[in-house]
């Protein structure tokens, strides 16, 4: 089973991805995006560097390049070997951030996502829904992912656009995307995710 976790910065994706991977068993592969390969980690560092000004299209292409490498070298082989894969972010983040929040043409985002992943799409996606004001408060003052480092400083209105884009994705693909309330304690949210996945 290939499961991805999505949501705005501060929704708790990384924590819940770790708990889910533990629940699925020791052979489960836990990944993050961007990253997971030598090239992906280098691209992660580049995307993290706030001193480098990137255009939205360049940002989009860097994320997709890291994703293509991760799919080809790690995710697809793991799934072919019968392993569970849990990934903190995947294609939906690109749709929400670069498409919904940055305003890049949805057709271009879809084309590049498709080129990056081919038919390697998640079986299920957990969208952690949390009030963006709460998420911004959670994210303040912490050092987390490069995605957060680059995007958290954009402010609440940017996060609102991301959240709205995620909601549109969930509404369009209810068979794949399960929306889970991310309010409450860590164990409580984990229980909701397990229930959504039938674990």
């Amino acid at each position: 089973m290939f499961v991805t976790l999505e949501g705005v910065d501060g929704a708790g994706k990384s924590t819940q991805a770790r708990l889910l991977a533990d629940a699925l068993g020791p052979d489960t592969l836990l990944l993050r995006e961007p990253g997971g390969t030598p090239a992906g980690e280098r691209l992660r560092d580049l995307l993290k560097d706030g001193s480098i000004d990137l255009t939205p299209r360049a940002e989009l292409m860097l994320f997709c390049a890291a994703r293509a490498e991760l799919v080809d070298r790690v995710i697809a082989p793991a799934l072919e070997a019968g392993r569970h894969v849990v990934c903190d972010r995947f294609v939906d983040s690109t749709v929400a951030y670069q498409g919904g929040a940055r305003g890049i043409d949805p057709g271009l985002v879809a084309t590049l996502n498709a080129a990056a992943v081919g038919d390697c799409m998640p079986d299920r996606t957990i969208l952690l829904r949390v009030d963006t004001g709460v998420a911004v408060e959670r994210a303040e003052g912490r050092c987390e992912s490069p995605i957060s480092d680059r995007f958290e400083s954009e402010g609440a209105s940017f996060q609102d656009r991301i959240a709205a884009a995620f909601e549109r994705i969930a509404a369009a693909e209810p068979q794949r995307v399960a929306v889970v309330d991310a309010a409450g304690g860590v164990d409580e949210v984990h229980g909701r995710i397990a229930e959504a996945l039938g674990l």
Side-chain angles (χ1 to χ4, degrees), residues 74-95:
V74 182
I75 297 176
L79 294 173
E80 287 168 9
R83 299 179 68 182
H84 294 306
V85 176
V86 175
C87 195
D88 177 355
R89 298 194 179 281
F90 200 59
V91 292
D92 298 308
S93 279
T94 300
V95 173

Side-chain angles (χ1 to χ4, degrees), residues 19 21-22 24-25 28 32 41 44 48 60 62 68 72 74 107 115 124 148 153 160 166-168 177 185 191 196:
L19 291 174
D22 288 344
L24 288 172
T28 300
R32 66 180 182 178
E41 292 298 329
R44 186 178 181 90
K48 180 177 183 178
L60 166 65
L62 287 171
D72 290 348
V74 182
R124 295 300 304 276
S148 300
S153 62
D160 286 339
F166 276 129
E167 293 294 335
R168 291 193 293 271
V177 183

